[in-house]
């Protein structure tokens, strides 16, 4: 089969790779209905994370089970399934506590930009839909695999509740879906921080009530202006830079919550500033598996449409263009059709 392989900065190729096979009896092989490019793939693509050898890419997936190992009991061939970027057993103490992305047996799934994918720990990792979903639901179901699950975790970690004021730092796909998550969780006021017209428009569609285009300390000042000098109850950090992290912490009111899901790159926090901020901080790789059943229901009932973040759809063999478009910010997120 052919799939995406990153050879170095800005060099993604669609090339021959070995088709996956069952290696462990707990594995499943899934035929992709859709896969996509993640904002976090761009850290590798831009050479910020060094790529020392050709690296298969992709960690977001949904599709039809082709084959399962002999120890797999709940997942069956023919089912439509969605899973997280971390495979998990869903039985260890960390999983039972709702932190499947911290599973004692977790395995990162990093080769999903291909027609077929091996998913380890299939029973614990995959969630099957009750029937094979309508084709138009595929983008939204695919989004649950990471970007929407991650945004939902950011909102959960930031303790978003009905009636609250929420600020979202970052207008990438996760930030935009952070707006959707805050809306779904009943936030009254949702301030999206964005300086791009098309993204501001989508933020409004997803439920943003205010847009702040200023960044850094000027952005913090604007959030304070909008909240009587207090700051937001909940702030979602969806970027992972020093500036975005400080923007999030400083935009949060005393006693408020910051949920951070941008993968930190070079972020350093000052103990004294944190001490005096009185802010709850929680984040990390999202335990997407915890949220899948609930989010799958919301999509199937057509109450949320997170697939709207895909503003570019390409056949999988044009994966290189999919990366380029996101790198150049011509696309928010690229869906790839095998
Ligand atoms: Zn576990």
């Amino acid at each position: 089969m052919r799939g995406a392989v990153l050879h170095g900065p800005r060099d993604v190729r669609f090339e021959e790779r070995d088709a996956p096979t069952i290696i462990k009896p707990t594995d499943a092989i899934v035929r992709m209905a859709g896969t996509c490019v993640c904002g976090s793939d761009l850290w590798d693509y831009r050479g910020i994370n060094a790529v020392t050898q050709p690296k298969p890419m992709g960690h977001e997936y949904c599709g039809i089970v082709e084959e399962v190992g002999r120890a797999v009991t709940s997942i069956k061939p023919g089912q439509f399934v969605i899973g997280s970027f971390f495979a998990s057993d869903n039985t260890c103490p960390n999983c039972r506590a709702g932190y499947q992305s911290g599973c004692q047996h977790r395995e990162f799934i990093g080769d999903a930009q291909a027609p077929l994918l091996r998913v380890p720990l299939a029973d614990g990792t995959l969630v099957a839909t009750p029937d094979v979903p309508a084709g138009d639901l595929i983008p939204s179901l695919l989004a649950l695999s990471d970007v929407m699950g991650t945004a939902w975790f950011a909102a959960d970690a930031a303790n978003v509740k009905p009636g609250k004021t929420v600020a979202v730092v970052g207008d990438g796909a996760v930030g935009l879906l952070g707006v959707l998550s805050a809306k779904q969780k009943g936030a009254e006021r949702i301030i999206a921080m964005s300086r791009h017209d098309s993204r501001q428009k989508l933020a409004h569609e997803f439920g943003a009530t205010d847009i702040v285009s200023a960044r850094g300390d000027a952005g913090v000042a604007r959030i304070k202006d909008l909240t009587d000098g207090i700051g937001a109850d909940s702030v979602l950090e969806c970027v992972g830079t020093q500036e975005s992290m400080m923007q999030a912490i400083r935009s949060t009111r005393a006693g408020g919550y910051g949920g951070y899901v941008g993968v930190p790159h070079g972020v350093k926090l000052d103990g004294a500033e944190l001490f005096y901020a009185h802010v709850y901080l929680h984040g990390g790789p999202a335990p997407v598996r915890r949220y899948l059943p609930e989010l799958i229901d919301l999509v199937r009932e057509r109450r949320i449409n997170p697939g709207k973040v895909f503003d570019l759809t390409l056949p999988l063999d044009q994966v290189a263009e999919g990366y380029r478009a996101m790198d150049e910010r011509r696309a928010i997120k690229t869906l790839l059709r095998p």
Side-chain angles (χ1 to χ4, degrees), residues 169 193 212 214-227 229 231 243-252:
V169 180
M193 305 189 85
V212 166
R215 281 190 186 180
D217 290 343
V220 173
R222 191 73 196 106
I223 299 279
K224 292 282 175 79
D225 283 347
L226 291 168
T227 54
E243 183 185 64
S244 63
M245 192 69 178
M246 297 322 298
Q247 201 171 309
I249 293 169
R250 292 171 182 164
S251 299
T252 310

Side-chain angles (χ1 to χ4, degrees), residues 40 43-51 55 265:
S40 68
W43 294 109
D44 294 340
Y45 182 77
R46 290 170 172 159
I48 296 167
N49 296 341
V51 174
K55 183 183 176 187
H265 281 72

Side-chain angles (χ1 to χ4, degrees), residues 88-92 95 103-105:
S88 56
D89 57 20
N90 214 26
T91 54
C92 78
C95 284
C103 175
Q104 290 179 312
H105 302 107

Side-chain angles (χ1 to χ4, degrees), residues 12-221:
V12 170
R13 302 179 202 167
F14 186 68
E15 63 183 23
E16 198 60 35
R17 281 164 42 182
D18 290 338
T21 54
I22 301 284
I23 296 173
K24 291 183 186 166
T26 45
D27 289 347
I29 304 295
V30 178
R31 182 167 292 279
M32 299 291 96
T35 180
C36 51
V37 182
C38 181
S40 68
D41 291 333
L42 296 182
W43 294 109
D44 294 340
Y45 182 77
R46 290 170 172 159
I48 296 167
N49 296 341
V51 174
T52 52
Q53 57 182 30
K55 183 183 176 187
M57 296 294 287
H59 55 265
E60 295 161 272
Y61 58 93
C62 63
I64 302 280
V65 178
E66 285 236 319
E67 190 186 350
V68 297
R70 59 187 158 73
V72 175
T73 56
S74 63
I75 296 297
K76 313 260 184 262
Q79 283 180 323
F80 187 93
V81 291
I82 304 156
S84 160
F85 49 91
F86 270 126
S88 56
D89 57 20
N90 214 26
T91 54
C92 78
N94 291 344
C95 284
R96 288 203 306 272
Y99 285 82
Q100 290 90 341
S101 45
C103 175
Q104 290 179 312
H105 302 107
R106 76 178 184 188
E107 287 185 50
F108 186 71
I109 295 175
D111 50 358
Q113 288 162 6
L116 290 166
L117 176 68
R118 181 180 78 92
V119 178
L121 301 168
D123 280 330
T125 304
L126 297 171
V127 178
T129 55
D131 44 30
V132 174
D136 67 319
L137 289 179
I138 300 288
S140 286
L141 291 169
L142 172 63
L144 305 185
S145 179
D146 178 1
V147 60
M148 179 62 195
T150 292
W152 193 258
F153 174 55
D156 196 12
N159 196 41
V160 174
K161 300 277 189 228
K164 298 290 187 185
T165 294
V166 178
V168 179
V169 180
D171 64 359
V174 174
L176 292 166
L177 291 176
V179 171
L180 174 79
S181 299
K183 176 73 177 172
Q184 184 66 28
K185 286 173 179 288
E188 185 173 303
R189 192 162 189 201
I190 304 171
I191 306 165
M193 305 189 85
S194 170
R195 46 174 57 180
H196 300 88
D197 284 347
S198 60
R199 294 169 189 236
Q200 291 175 359
K201 187 168 164 285
L202 193 50
H204 275 304
E205 273 183 54
F206 282 154
T209 53
D210 303 82
I211 301 284
V212 166
S213 57
R215 281 190 186 180
D217 290 343
V220 173

